[in-house]
Amino acid sequence: MTQALSDAAPQAPQRYVRVLSIAGSDSGGGAGIQADLKTFAALGCYGMTAITALTAQNTRGVSGIHGVPPAFLKAQIQAVVEDIGVDAVKLGMLHAPEVVDVVAWAIDHYRLPNVVLDPVMVATSGDRLIAAETVQVLVRELFPRAVVVTPNLDEAALLIGHAIDGIDALDQAADELLALGAQAVLLKGGHLPGDEVVDVLLGRGGVRKRLASARIASRNLHGTGCTLSSAIAAHLALGLALPEAVERARAYVLGAMATGASVRIGEGHGPLNHGFAPVPTHRLPLL
């Protein structure tokens, strides 16, 4: 066996498809960087993290937040990018203006590609996760630098200054979000009532698409937004164009929701089933 292996033709050097999550940690494992890493792995990508904040959190809610010093966040990003490299970036909980500034610097300094911004402001439990003064900085610095921004209805209402009353109001709200400087917006309509969930994808290049699916009855919805944005970033890293990346990410989330709906983890909002259909880690030639 040893001789046979030594006689085999040498393989060309390869690397994994690499996705970096810059986000907060969820000690309960359902959202934040924990959900991101599970999603990257399930979709065949190599996941990395730069942690912005630690949360004391479970399925019932958030009981504490401890921010990471901006200088140490910068050190994490530098360590990852300068050694391993990045094919896409998912941005999650960025709780303070100084944290946003570090991320904007990193995107420009390293020319980070395929940046997906999930403007995490409110947890599934209703807990506020971002300081009010951070919102304007987030919009100014990161909306133009991201390939797509993925707010839910509560986050979108905070951003545009008014509630979104129904499905018919989604398109206008997406236009308003795009006017804030985003390159593209995926406005998630899951918080609206009804048997159908409708999301709107709107881009500056003329992309305007409604994505609809039957509502899945489940209390296990913790981390849905984190998972969707991570799945979009993973598919962008794999080379898909944004509309197809969004469609495939959405299909993955629906599968994770459906296969995790009957599971009981904790006493509150449980997690998705991220590992319902994992694929092997994708490899690319090392150039």
Side-chain angles (χ1 to χ4, degrees):
M1 164 117 17
T2 304
Q3 183 63 38
L5 286 174
S6 65
D7 291 341
Q11 287 190 334
Q14 295 179 316
R15 66 168 179 84
Y16 296 126
V17 175
R18 310 152 301 182
V19 189
L20 170 63
S21 170
I22 305 176
S25 170
D26 173 4
S27 56
I33 63 162
Q34 287 81 359
D36 298 343
L37 288 173
K38 293 172 188 178
T39 300
F40 300 154
L43 296 175
C45 294
Y46 180 78
M48 305 161 291
T49 63
I51 300 174
T52 61
L54 307 177
T55 66
Q57 185 174 175
N58 55 29
T59 64
R60 293 175 294 182
V62 180
S63 57
I65 299 175
H66 179 71
V68 170
F72 192 71
L73 172 62
K74 183 177 181 180
Q76 293 177 76
I77 297 171
Q78 289 174 308
V80 168
V81 177
E82 293 177 6
D83 176 46
I84 300 170
V86 171
D87 297 304
V89 181
K90 176 265 173 76
L91 303 179
M93 180 182 173
L94 307 174
H95 60 286
E98 298 80 10
V99 169
V100 175
D101 289 339
V102 168
V103 173
W105 169 86
I107 293 171
D108 291 347
H109 183 75
Y110 293 112
R111 298 182 182 179
L112 298 179
N114 297 319
V115 176
V116 177
L117 172 59
D118 182 15
V120 176
M121 299 177 184
V122 183
T124 302
S125 59
D127 294 290
R128 184 75 177 258
L129 297 175
I130 185 172
E133 62 268 21
T134 307
V135 175
Q136 289 185 341
V137 181
L138 185 79
V139 171
R140 183 181 71 241
E141 298 297 332
L142 296 183
F143 270 44
R145 290 175 165 89
V147 171
V148 63
V149 181
T150 64
N152 62 29
L153 290 181
D154 293 334
E155 292 155 352
L158 284 173
L159 289 165
I160 64 178
H162 63 84
I164 302 166
D165 298 326
I167 290 176
D168 291 339
L170 289 175
D171 288 299
Q172 177 61 36
D175 283 324
E176 292 179 59
L177 289 164
L178 205 69
L180 293 177
Q183 301 302 308
V185 172
L186 176 64
L187 177 55
K188 300 172 293 189
H191 290 176
L192 292 173
D195 295 331
E196 188 177 55
V197 174
V198 177
D199 303 330
V200 172
L201 176 63
L202 177 65
R204 291 189 178 277
V207 174
R208 184 183 289 270
K209 193 167 190 177
R210 282 197 169 200
L211 303 161
S213 58
R215 186 177 298 277
I216 297 171
S218 175
R219 67 184 286 112
N220 297 329
L221 302 176
H222 183 51
T224 306
C226 302
T227 301
L228 179 62
S229 55
S230 296
I232 294 171
H235 286 301
L236 291 172
L238 291 167
L240 299 184
L242 180 61
E244 186 176 359
V246 168
E247 289 189 16
R248 292 205 185 184
R250 204 170 179 277
Y252 168 73
V253 171
L254 291 172
M257 290 172 60
T259 57
S262 63
V263 178
R264 186 65 181 265
I265 296 289
E267 298 179 5
H269 297 284
L272 310 184
N273 179 9
H274 293 91
F276 74 97
V279 300
T281 308
H282 296 281
R283 302 184 185 191
L284 296 174
L286 182 61
L287 301 179

